[in-house]
Amino acid sequence: MSESPLLIEDQDAVRVITVNRPDKLNALNSATLDALHRAFDDAASADTVRVVVLTGAGPKAFVAGADIAEMADLRPVEGRDFALRGQAMMRRVETLPKPVIAMVNGFALGGGLELAMCCHLRIAADTAKVGQPEVNLGLIPGFGGTQRLLRLAGRAATLELCLTGAPINAERALALGIVNRIAPAAELQAQTMALAEQLANAAPLALRGVLDCINTGGESAIGEGLAFEAAQFGLMFATEDMREGTRAFLERRKPEFKNR
């Protein structure tokens, strides 16, 4: 059996998934896409996992893109299937009922930016570069880049990044809303894990409700989104965590959420 392209480690309630192909700048080939899909399926079903952090191995890249060597000889139907394979994996990440944080430690280009964008939050090193350079290869983004970038950064920025293929630095990515935060490279891991631990201590069912509302509302008319939000709000009153949270507030103590 070939060695896994991922490293997976649990740090209390935080699962850290690392794409471990540093010699290929963590490029996404079919085996890595499939391994990531399985890893996020496992994270979804693991009761002990409340938050996932996704990153890349080595100092240079989060994920530098899809594996060009694997793509170069694909025929049209194979190319479509490869795109669908990547899209399915990234949709698995996006719909995970637990927060996923992308720790962008270096280049996030092409499929790498697409992978970061399907995560719920993104923290980038101040040295990171992001972009959709597929046009320089005679291609277009295939793992959802045109669609998620449009939703995060708007039409003008999406057209610029996808038409020129030019990468941008972390500061511009922050200004465009592509990343949530920037950290000095030396502090990236500490700051990311601090946020992950903060989320891991929050009420898991409430976090899931937020994720469900935003995923659903983002693709719905305002009326439908509001109705879904109200229904999810009502469901929270059936949870022990809601009772614990409100009691703790009234008693001026820290709540202890049990995911019930």
Side-chain angles (χ1 to χ4, degrees):
M1 183 178 294
S2 61
E3 186 177 352
S4 172
L6 305 180
L7 299 174
I8 299 174
E9 178 187 6
D10 287 348
Q11 299 184 25
D12 296 324
V14 179
R15 176 159 294 179
V16 180
I17 300 175
T18 303
V19 180
N20 187 35
R21 303 183 74 213
D23 57 320
K24 303 292 185 182
L25 296 180
N26 303 319
L28 299 174
N29 60 7
S30 294
T32 306
L33 293 175
D34 292 346
L36 282 166
H37 204 142
R38 291 191 299 270
F40 278 93
D41 278 342
D42 290 344
S45 62
D47 292 338
T48 56
V49 175
R50 293 192 177 183
V51 179
V52 177
V53 171
L54 177 63
T55 193
K60 294 183 178 179
F62 171 73
V63 167
D67 194 319
I68 306 302
E70 184 176 75
M71 291 195 303
D73 295 324
L74 295 180
R75 307 306 299 166
V77 172
E78 295 169 333
R80 180 203 61 188
D81 290 346
F82 185 64
L84 291 173
R85 195 175 200 163
Q87 288 181 5
M89 182 276 289
M90 294 185 190
R91 190 64 178 152
R92 166 73 280 195
V93 176
E94 189 170 55
T95 59
L96 201 78
K98 304 170 184 182
V100 182
I101 304 170
M103 184 166 70
V104 183
N105 51 310
F107 291 112
L109 303 174
L113 179 54
E114 290 169 312
L115 182 59
M117 290 192 295
C118 74
C119 298
H120 303 126
L121 298 171
R122 288 157 293 282
I123 302 181
D126 55 2
T127 54
K129 296 286 182 67
V130 308
Q132 298 287 170
E134 289 88 348
V135 69
N136 296 321
L137 301 173
L139 289 168
I140 68 169
F143 292 166
T146 61
Q147 301 307 299
R148 292 191 179 92
L149 189 56
L150 182 64
R151 286 160 171 77
L152 285 173
R155 182 181 178 88
T158 300
L159 284 168
E160 178 188 345
L161 267 66
C162 292
L163 290 176
T164 68
I168 59 175
N169 62 24
E171 288 187 4
R172 181 141 192 254
L174 178 66
L176 291 173
I178 298 171
V179 301
N180 299 90
R181 302 181 185 181
I182 299 174
E187 300 175 19
L188 177 65
Q189 183 174 5
Q191 291 193 23
T192 302
M193 293 307 296
L195 176 59
E197 289 165 10
Q198 176 187 340
L199 295 175
N201 288 323
L205 296 173
L207 295 179
R208 179 172 185 167
V210 168
L211 294 173
D212 287 346
C213 284
I214 292 173
N215 280 331
T216 299
E219 306 301 325
S220 304
I222 183 67
E224 295 170 352
L226 289 170
F228 188 84
E229 179 186 87
Q232 292 295 305
F233 180 78
L235 282 176
M236 294 300 108
F237 287 82
T239 68
E240 294 180 21
D241 281 351
M242 176 270 174
R243 303 298 172 194
E244 166 62 12
T246 52
R247 279 197 302 266
F249 177 83
L250 295 171
E251 295 168 5
R252 299 184 179 181
R253 61 175 175 82
K254 185 177 179 180
E256 295 183 10
F257 297 116
K258 304 296 185 182
N259 197 22
R260 294 198 292 265

